[in-house]
Amino acid sequence: MILVTLGTQDKSFDRLLNAIDKEIDNGNIKDKVIVQAGFTFKTYKSKNMEMFDYVDTKTMNDLVKKSDVIISHAGAGSILTALENDKKIIVVPRQSKYGEHNNDHQIEIAEKFSNDGHVIYLKNLNNLVETLNNIDSFNPTKLNHNNELLKNIEEFIDNTKKKKKFLPFVMVILWACAIFFLSNMSGIESNIKSTTSLDIIIKEVLTFTNKIGLTDKHPTEARISEFAEDINPIMRKCAHATVFFILAILISIFLTRYNIRLSFAFILTVLLSFMYALFDEYHQTFVIGRTGQLTDSLIDVSGAIIGCFIVLIIVKIKRRKKKVKDKKKVIFVSSLGGHLTQMLQLKSIFNDYNYLLITEKSSVTENLKSDYNVKYYIYCNKKIFIKYFIINVINAFHSLYTFFKERPDVIVTTGANTAVPLCYLGRIFGKKVIFIESFAKRNGKTLAGTLCYPVATTFIVQWESMLKYYPKAKYFGGIY
């Protein structure tokens, strides 16, 4: 059986069917021929071929599996369906000079798939029979999905706003400088400052405890000074431990920004704190009236251990909550046809998220709901402009309702007009918008791409030549 697929374009492709009918009449094609004619069903009738316009994707896949050979226009969706079912496919691109398409991008697609060894590109329909007779000798190259592109799209979806990793490092340096400055004071100056500070603290504490009735006595200034002098050594040790407690907190925050193992972060923080504590004590041996003691370094590192331990417990709790947190909500949206086919190349990552697939409702897409969480918009082609405009306005309001109902974190789209309102809504409300320009465009912009390029947080092109049209875009190769 030969299956002919003409896709969902709103233009006729009589030229290809004429050529097939001619060869059937001449007795050169004896196989049964079934045609998915799409719009051409309205313009072409055949007594030799079984024809229909559109069927749902399941029925179409069943026909593809039953077929021996596929003859297709150079639509990406038709080609992919054949290749994913390991079928040999002869490609005849639609051409603008015959009124079969608005441009000649299908020639570029045919050349691309042909050069990669996936299809037979039939440039001249006079060679149709010869090509069919020789098709058994054609061994198509297996289709491989672009895993790098899929990985990058997932990273664009998953990555939240980058943390300022440099700021904690600056705080570590500043605090280390503050410790150095404090240790650089002479023994007398340091003792005076610590005693004075302690006097102030004791007076404030006594004032407070007197107010709430915990203390009734009012010690003299001499007694306060004597008490401060007695506890000053202990308080100085506590102060040392405290400054290293803070230092360890800052170091731990800096290290955990890089998502390293918490056990490693703990060891590294304590080690760095201890090394700096040793340096601090060594530094004090050069300061008048100060001495360096190993016991002081051990007191310092005890404060560091406590600070580090507190931070790592908090980080561990946050990481655990992050793991059990609901999946990100992502809307995958596209028009039907090739745009939808390209979107479905991302289906392997759909279930990594709380996702919703949005496309246009037609006989081709109605069975998607059995496999995907799907929502339908109204479909209309561009033949009747007023109707097309009105339906797009309705779909825009539908997008507004959907956006506020679903509250997505990310919007991913392969175009076209169906996706534009959602992209703008997403950007207005600070959501990520990932736009994947159509594989069908190798030279020049699409209307949807032009409209969404200014608002997309990530704009991806599938041909390197498209970077000249979208300078800020990212290129990782084709989606397949």
Side-chain angles (χ1 to χ4, degrees):
M1 183 186 84
I2 297 174
L3 176 64
V4 181
T5 63
L6 304 185
T8 58
Q9 275 79 13
D10 57 359
K11 296 186 186 308
S12 298
F13 198 10
D14 296 358
R15 180 169 61 95
L16 175 57
L17 299 189
N18 263 319
I20 297 171
D21 247 340
K22 178 182 174 182
E23 298 303 337
I24 295 174
D25 288 334
N26 292 338
N28 295 322
I29 296 178
K30 297 182 173 63
D31 298 274
K32 180 180 179 180
V33 180
I34 297 178
V35 182
Q36 179 272 307
F39 188 82
T40 310
F41 187 77
K42 299 178 181 179
T43 63
Y44 190 90
K45 304 301 176 186
S46 172
K47 66 180 185 297
N48 299 314
M49 300 180 287
E50 181 183 329
M51 296 177 60
F52 58 87
D53 51 1
Y54 305 104
V55 291
D56 60 78
T57 51
K58 183 180 183 304
T59 304
M60 191 65 193
N61 282 329
D62 289 341
L63 285 170
V64 170
K65 289 174 183 176
K66 292 176 183 177
S67 65
D68 300 301
V69 178
I70 295 174
I71 302 173
S72 174
H73 74 141
S78 298
I79 294 173
L80 280 172
T81 302
L83 293 176
E84 287 175 345
N85 286 279
D86 297 321
K87 296 297 178 178
K88 296 181 180 183
I89 178 170
I90 299 169
V91 171
V92 183
R94 294 171 179 263
Q95 297 184 42
S96 60
K97 67 181 180 181
Y98 299 118
E100 297 159 352
H101 216 297
N102 298 322
N103 53 54
D104 288 327
H105 76 266
Q106 284 205 356
I107 294 176
E108 296 173 342
I109 291 176
E111 288 175 345
K112 166 67 175 172
F113 279 102
S114 177
N115 291 337
D116 290 343
H118 298 305
V119 306
I120 296 174
Y121 173 18
L122 183 59
K123 298 180 181 179
N124 189 338
L125 283 171
N126 292 327
N127 299 326
L128 175 59
V129 173
E130 181 185 353
T131 304
L132 283 169
N133 290 336
N134 295 326
I135 198 161
D136 287 341
S137 61
F138 172 62
N139 294 309
T141 304
K142 290 281 187 182
L143 181 70
N144 290 315
H145 290 86
N146 189 338
N147 291 323
E148 181 190 0
L149 177 58
L150 290 175
K151 180 181 176 183
N152 278 289
I153 290 172
E154 279 199 285
E155 286 180 357
F156 293 138
I157 293 172
D158 293 334
N159 287 345
T160 52
K161 189 175 180 181
K162 287 186 178 180
K163 297 177 181 178
K164 295 180 179 178
K165 296 179 180 180
F166 188 66
L167 182 59
F169 178 73
V170 172
M171 295 300 295
V172 170
I173 299 300
L174 290 176
W175 191 249
C177 291
I179 294 173
F180 183 88
F181 173 76
L182 292 171
S183 296
N184 207 45
M185 291 181 182
S186 66
I188 295 173
E189 185 180 6
S190 175
N191 190 56
I192 291 172
K193 284 186 177 293
S194 63
T195 303
T196 303
S197 300
L198 196 56
D199 285 343
I200 295 171
I201 292 170
I202 292 171
K203 286 179 180 178
E204 291 297 327
V205 170
L206 284 174
T207 301
F208 176 74
T209 54
N210 287 341
K211 281 184 179 179
I212 61 175
L214 289 178
T215 53
D216 297 323
K217 297 179 180 179
H218 298 276
T220 62
E221 291 291 330
R223 182 70 187 97
I224 291 174
S225 297
E226 184 182 346
F227 178 69
E229 189 174 339
D230 289 339
I231 67 169
N232 188 36
I234 298 173
M235 295 303 293
R236 284 172 65 86
K237 302 298 182 185
C238 290
H240 260 267
T242 302
V243 294
F244 277 84
F245 169 86
I246 296 171
L247 178 65
I249 287 176
L250 296 174
I251 295 174
S252 299
I253 291 172
F254 170 65
L255 292 177
T256 53
R257 291 290 176 104
Y258 291 90
N259 293 319
I260 63 176
R261 289 177 60 184
L262 297 185
S263 57
F264 179 72
F266 179 80
I267 293 169
L268 190 56
T269 299
V270 173
L271 181 61
L272 289 172
S273 300
F274 184 57
M275 289 174 65
Y276 193 70
L278 290 174
F279 168 77
D280 184 55
E281 293 302 317
Y282 178 68
H283 167 225
Q284 290 181 50
T285 62
F286 295 92
V287 179
I288 298 172
R290 307 288 292 270
T291 58
Q293 296 179 357
L294 180 60
T295 53
D296 284 351
S297 296
L298 296 176
I299 291 170
D300 294 341
V301 82
S302 66
I305 290 171
I306 295 170
C308 179
F309 192 66
I310 290 172
V311 171
L312 296 187
I313 287 176
I314 294 171
V315 171
K316 186 171 183 177
I317 292 171
K318 286 181 68 177
R319 287 185 181 181
R320 187 173 293 172
K321 284 184 178 179
K322 189 176 181 181
K323 285 182 181 179
V324 300
K325 190 180 177 182
D326 289 341
K327 296 178 181 178
K328 278 193 174 181
K329 185 167 284 189
V330 181
I331 289 180
F332 296 91
V333 54
S334 79
S335 301
L336 53 74
H339 296 285
L340 178 60
T341 303
Q342 292 172 70
M343 179 59 75
L344 291 180
Q345 300 308 301
L346 309 181
K347 63 185 177 183
S348 62
I349 68 173
F350 282 7
N351 289 322
D352 293 340
Y353 308 101
N354 180 6
Y355 82 94
L356 174 66
L357 174 63
I358 297 177
T359 190
E360 295 159 333
K361 188 174 182 62
S362 75
S363 58
V364 176
T365 60
E366 63 184 12
N367 77 312
L368 287 175
K369 57 190 174 186
S370 62
D371 297 316
Y372 305 100
N373 179 27
V374 65
K375 185 183 186 74
Y376 295 109
Y377 283 3
I378 304 169
Y379 169 71
C380 182
N381 61 46
K382 300 176 183 177
K383 286 286 184 181
I384 307 172
F385 177 76
I386 294 179
K387 184 179 179 182
Y388 175 76
F389 176 78
I390 292 172
I391 287 177
N392 273 285
V393 171
I394 294 171
N395 283 341
F397 280 104
H398 203 166
S399 293
L400 188 67
Y401 170 78
T402 302
F403 182 84
F404 286 109
K405 179 177 182 290
E406 299 295 332
R407 299 180 181 275
D409 300 300
V410 185
I411 295 165
V412 181
T413 180
T414 52
N417 51 286
T418 303
V420 174
L422 271 174
C423 289
Y424 272 82
L425 281 167
R427 202 69 188 100
I428 288 169
F429 290 95
K431 308 301 180 183
K432 286 184 180 179
V433 176
I434 300 173
F435 190 98
I436 306 168
E437 182 60 295
S438 174
F439 185 81
K441 295 303 289 185
R442 188 172 183 176
N443 290 291
K445 301 179 179 180
T446 62
L447 177 59
T450 302
L451 292 172
C452 293
Y453 181 63
V455 298
T457 51
T458 302
F459 196 97
I460 298 171
V461 293
Q462 301 187 61
W463 298 89
E464 194 168 7
S465 58
M466 292 293 286
L467 291 172
K468 68 181 179 183
Y469 300 102
Y470 303 108
K472 296 179 181 178
K474 300 182 184 299
Y475 169 71
F476 307 104
I479 206 166
Y480 34 76

